[in-house]
Amino acid sequence: NKLLISAISSSATLLTIIFSLIETPIYKGNFQIVVNQTQEQNSTKDFSVASLSEAIRGGGPNDNKTQEYILKSPLVLKPVFNRAIEEYKKRGANNEMLYALWIEKNLNIEFEKGTKVLKITFKDSDKDFILEILNIISQKYQNYSKQIKEKELNKTLSYLNIQQKSFKEISKRSAQELNSFSIKHG
């Protein structure tokens, strides 16, 4: 029995050592983004551009899952995926990877529980490539966020211009009615 147990233990140890020497290490890199979400204003006394743009957009505040899906979408990450495929081809990997599989296998995007902090984690065997991919993801998300804010501000500006024209017409009619009333009643 002692011989059997020592043989099994020795072979398991030897296999573990061989496997650890052959297997390439996989590294993880991550960064965090604080997602600012505009809160819905319940009071009509609190007037701000944020509450106005929220009203124009026609919705409540964005939830965490929406932000997660936006960041995972090809709209934001397709250039990052293309760069990753280029790198994999340079390494000699001839497998054609699908976008969804790449996201599932190498990238983890999720909110920290109970916070507005979005954590992005990327796994690969090359540390420099991890940094490059994380920097590209950060840049793409920042650009996307700027585009969304610009669209919201343009909608708000358009709405305010329409309201300004409308109130000028109302003011002009009121002034005409006041003048005719003043002339009629002395």
Side-chain angles (χ1 to χ4, degrees):
N1 286 342
K2 289 180 185 180
L3 186 61
L4 179 67
I5 291 174
S6 63
I8 291 174
S9 298
S10 298
S11 60
T13 304
L14 184 63
L15 287 175
T16 304
I17 291 172
I18 291 172
F19 180 75
S20 67
L21 293 174
I22 293 173
E23 186 67 26
T24 57
I26 301 295
Y27 302 103
K28 277 187 187 180
N30 66 53
F31 70 96
Q32 297 172 341
I33 298 173
V34 177
V35 178
N36 290 328
Q37 299 170 340
T38 56
Q39 297 297 320
E40 190 173 348
Q41 299 290 331
N42 293 332
S43 171
T44 56
K45 295 177 186 175
D46 279 344
F47 177 79
S48 69
V49 174
S51 64
L52 181 60
S53 67
E54 190 68 39
I56 291 170
R57 258 193 305 161
N62 294 334
D63 64 338
N64 291 349
K65 284 292 179 191
T66 304
Q67 289 294 327
E68 229 175 90
Y69 285 120
I70 287 171
L71 188 55
K72 286 181 181 179
S73 74
L75 176 68
V76 178
L77 288 182
K78 189 67 172 180
V80 180
F81 173 69
N82 291 337
R83 173 63 187 104
I85 292 298
E86 287 175 20
E87 179 66 25
Y88 297 148
K89 285 181 181 176
K90 282 181 189 175
R91 293 180 189 173
N94 292 330
N95 60 343
E96 290 296 319
M97 190 178 293
L98 297 174
Y99 178 79
L101 181 64
W102 178 75
I103 292 285
E104 184 180 315
K105 184 179 175 184
N106 298 336
L107 201 58
N108 185 22
I109 300 171
E110 62 184 14
F111 275 90
E112 297 288 336
K113 284 193 174 188
T115 68
K116 294 180 183 179
V117 177
L118 187 63
K119 185 176 181 181
I120 294 99
T121 305
F122 182 70
K123 295 185 279 186
D124 196 74
S125 60
D126 184 5
K127 292 178 184 179
D128 293 331
F129 183 61
I130 291 172
L131 289 175
E132 179 185 350
I133 290 294
L134 290 176
N135 285 331
I136 294 171
I137 291 172
S138 173
Q139 187 179 44
K140 294 296 178 187
Y141 187 72
Q142 288 172 5
N143 290 341
Y144 177 77
S145 295
K146 286 177 188 176
Q147 289 173 353
I148 294 298
K149 286 179 184 178
E150 285 177 8
K151 284 181 184 178
E152 287 180 10
L153 288 175
N154 286 335
K155 283 182 183 179
T156 303
L157 185 60
S158 174
Y159 175 77
L160 290 175
N161 285 334
I162 291 169
Q163 290 298 311
Q164 182 182 19
K165 288 177 185 176
S166 173
F167 282 116
K168 277 185 181 179
E169 280 294 318
I170 292 171
S171 174
K172 185 177 178 181
R173 276 188 273 152
S174 294
Q176 288 173 348
E177 288 176 12
L178 176 64
N179 283 340
S180 72
F181 181 81
S182 296
I183 291 172
K184 184 177 179 181
H185 296 292

